[in-house]
Amino acid sequence: MKKSLLIFILLFSSIAAFAQQTISGVVTDKQTKESLPFANILLSESKGTITDAEGKFVLNLKKGTTSIRISYIGYTTLTVPIDNNTTYLKIALEPSQESLDAVVLYNKENPALQIIRDAIKRKKENDPERKLNTFKLNSYNKLLVTANPDSINGQIDSIYTKKDGKLVFKEVDSSNYSFKKDMTRSHIYMTEKVSEVSFSSSKGKREKILATRMAGFKEPIYEILGLKIQSFSFYKNEYDLFGTSYAGPLANNALSKYNYKILDTVTNNNRDAYMIYYSPKKKGKTSGLEGILYVDKQSYALQKAIAEIKAVIDIKAVQNFEYNQTFEVWFPSDKEINIRKGKTDDSVSLLGTTINVQRGTTPQDSTKTVSTNKQDASDFVYLSSKTKNFDLSINKEVSIRGRGLAIEIDELAHDRSEEFWNQYRTDSITKRGKETYVVLDSVIAEEGVEKDIYLARKLLKGYYPTKYVDLDLRYLLKYNNYEAFRLGLGGVTNANFSTKYRLNGYGVYGTRDKDFKFGVGGAARLDKRTNTWFGMSYTDDLVETGSSTFITDRRAFSLFEPRLFNIDLFYETRRLTANIEHQITAKTHANLMLSKSNIESTYDYGFVNDNEIFNAYEITEAIFAVQWNPFSEYMQTRHGRSEIKKGFPQFAFQATQSLKDVFGGDFNYTKFDARIVHEIRPIDKGVTSFLVKGGLGIGDIPISHLYHTSPNNPNKDVLLQRFSIAGRNSFETMYFNEFFSDKYAMFQAKHQFKPFKITRGFRPELTLITRFAIGDAENIERHLGQEFNSLQHGYSESGFEINKLFAGFGLSFMYRYGAYHLPEFEDNLSFKFTYYFSLGF
């Protein structure tokens, strides 16, 4: 097995058990010959299956079964005899006027719509997470990537080439034979997981993973554990499948998203249910959900739900509910999801990205090779995930420490004994399953896949790992107009060194200013659950004049930072800090910092304060910041806390107070900063993002601590001389050092369209951008040696980017207009290139 294929499967797949085929068939309309989706195929009143969206079915039969019954609303129910030799049935149903009368459209309205309205209206009474005060359960999940060996033609294949219109033998191909042999021995991949799920109406739902095992890995791939393969239930406004959120069929606005149709009535747990088919009203380029809802006739709760996606990849998700008589609630009992190769070219959204293919057609005469075995092994590979809930307790005391944490992984979860697993397995491990662990443990260890994944994970975060220290790639090479090339090295200790303590440091050298800068620091963890750290650091480095950051911002890594290339206004700072960071909740991160800075400008500047001119000064600051991401989801592992689902909007707030005469501080001022980031990512459409940011400064603030709203236009006279790299959230037409403010507000809106599919390898992306900023600066005359304007009249620019024209590179065009429009047309233009790094998935 090739290493690259295995890594792809592990990182972007989930996985499962196979079912043997006994009898298959298709159900159609006898008159129109059209297939009938989701028709009932019954062995008894409560056992059977339904046809899929194409009218096809597969049914496992017990010994002695002599007939099956097919029912579909609007058609005459048909009983079909079968015998031991029956393998395939083509069943044609006769439309029935009598059955149609049962679903007369009262007031000219589809009766399914009123049933769905009632189901939506009564969600509060039926959704376990809204009806119940608490619940707790255990669940067992098994995921496989596999194929049914009985479906594979394992004959040795002969490959021929065409020559002068004749077939000439080329070679023997045993790939199908080997594949069938491998599938008879083991699955392609396998994982297991045991979880404890707790819920309280005050603290929400928490999954604690008690045990996890991924074939070949000593420690699990946490990114996969954090992936939401399937939602807990169908009652939410969004239903998640493999990291993508779809509008739920019982969402509050579901009637505007889906069409509904009554198919039949069925019985489950001695209670009748409406069987309602739903499908998207609008068919986009990316497939949406369709399926069946089994709605209880008495309570309008869900007895069962099915969601399917038919595209380049077919996905089918099934969830069953059991009725709890004591609490009068239908509670999720088990769920299953299956993925296999699709039969259409329709795109599908998985893991937050769109997957599509372009199937080329090759003229028959131009085919150079011919195979005797027409089977493609990939047609038989599928992924499946089964989860069974058990040991359910309702409305009993539940302990959930902290708030907002979606997943918590026990530190011993990856090292459980076989006895522990046997206590929780609801589905026994077959001989093939056991052999899968043996085979994959050997293959992955031999090829070093676990090490490669660990390295890839670190590199994506900007680190190169060694045994005890992760080298920080941010410091290797940068460029700006003051230092020219900035060369250096940095690092931070990792979990192998300690999970309770960390040390970090860096050193850099500027080739133009010929000066060495450095920083050192350390921190100790005071509380693991609240992720509370106390740290101290010292830096002797340069800081961009007018820049402002939120101290709660997480570490960000990019190959290069576009704005740095053109910055030339820096101040030197020697800064000592002490800080405490703390998770108020999993979604609310706070940081309190006290700092003492000695500041000296690298340019001609003086600040007038109390009749004294300060060329160099000292600042003592107390800073408190909060980052709140209410719609994100987080996971706690033994390595720390990570965001497993980025939700929007996100909010940040920061308050700064400088302290005059405290530790030698020269000035007294107060600053308040706020930021809101929001993204809208509808399926089959582009991405719309918004950034709102502002700051208010009161008191004696030198230019180093004013605001500049991120200008990114070099101070050159000719347009092409200003050709450089466009930033992400910067004003591209605003010249460096043109504006400084002590109060400001800025707004940015972007809309990134879906890529244009010009050719298979050429898919440029168009992004429309508009930005606006307004601000003011009091007593500009106090700032000597630097001339600048405020933003009191409002600054505007708009334009667009055409990204990924070649190897991630694109072009940016922006135009400056409004109150600060310049007399020369060319001076209002910005023409730059862009670069967006992509991993290709």
Side-chain angles (χ1 to χ4, degrees), residues 270-479:
N270 297 318
R271 290 173 66 114
D272 292 335
Y274 299 108
M275 186 177 172
I276 298 181
Y277 169 67
Y278 66 92
S279 61
K281 281 191 172 182
K282 294 182 179 180
K283 178 69 173 177
K285 294 181 180 179
T286 301
S287 293
L289 297 182
E290 63 177 313
I292 297 290
L293 300 176
Y294 294 76
V295 181
D296 186 75
K297 280 189 175 183
Q298 297 181 36
S299 64
Y300 290 90
L302 288 178
Q303 294 185 5
K304 182 178 180 178
I306 299 172
E308 289 193 44
I309 296 176
K310 295 289 185 179
V312 62
I313 296 175
D314 288 350
I315 304 175
K316 183 177 181 180
V318 180
Q319 185 167 41
N320 292 299
F321 297 74
E322 286 186 359
Y323 186 66
N324 186 295
Q325 293 185 349
T326 303
F327 296 95
E328 297 182 335
V329 62
W330 287 87
F331 197 91
S333 59
D334 60 87
K335 58 186 177 182
E336 180 178 358
I337 185 168
N338 287 276
I339 300 180
R340 62 180 69 235
K341 184 178 178 180
K343 298 180 180 179
T344 74
D345 290 346
D346 292 345
S347 301
V348 63
S349 183
L350 285 181
L351 305 168
T353 189
T354 299
I355 297 176
N356 51 59
V357 296
Q358 292 182 340
R359 305 180 197 266
T361 57
T362 304
Q364 187 172 0
D365 292 340
S366 65
T367 303
K368 295 182 179 180
T369 62
V370 176
S371 302
T372 57
N373 189 349
K374 303 298 183 181
Q375 277 193 349
D376 184 349
S378 65
D379 292 339
F380 303 98
V381 176
Y382 63 94
L383 301 87
S384 170
S385 170
K386 290 184 178 180
T387 301
K388 176 68 176 178
N389 297 332
F390 58 98
D391 292 343
L392 173 66
S393 64
I394 294 177
N395 286 352
K396 295 182 180 179
E397 185 176 351
V398 170
S399 175
I400 302 177
R401 296 181 60 186
R403 295 177 61 93
L405 191 65
I407 300 175
E408 181 181 6
I409 302 177
D410 191 287
E411 288 196 358
L412 299 176
H414 64 289
D415 193 27
R416 296 297 191 183
S417 66
E418 194 65 21
E419 289 76 16
F420 183 94
W421 280 104
N422 289 334
Q423 293 178 38
Y424 292 95
R425 282 187 177 125
T426 59
D427 186 10
S428 61
I429 299 297
T430 64
K431 183 178 180 181
R432 286 178 74 199
K434 293 178 181 178
E435 191 64 20
T436 303
Y437 282 127
V438 174
V439 172
L440 269 297
D441 286 352
S442 174
V443 171
I444 291 178
E446 180 180 348
E447 300 201 7
V449 174
E450 190 165 18
K451 292 182 179 178
D452 289 347
I453 292 177
Y454 177 75
L455 176 61
R457 182 191 290 124
K458 289 288 186 176
L459 289 175
L460 288 175
K461 295 180 179 179
Y463 292 110
Y464 183 86
T466 64
K467 186 173 183 179
Y468 297 113
V469 176
D470 292 339
L471 301 180
D472 196 331
L473 303 180
R474 293 180 303 171
Y475 297 104
L476 286 179
L477 175 65
K478 290 185 179 180
Y479 182 89

Side-chain angles (χ1 to χ4, degrees), residues 90-109:
K90 188 171 183 180
I91 302 166
L93 297 184
E94 185 80 39
S96 170
Q97 185 61 44
E98 181 179 352
S99 297
L100 287 173
D101 290 341
V103 289
V104 171
L105 304 184
Y106 296 103
N107 297 323
K108 298 182 179 181
E109 183 184 57

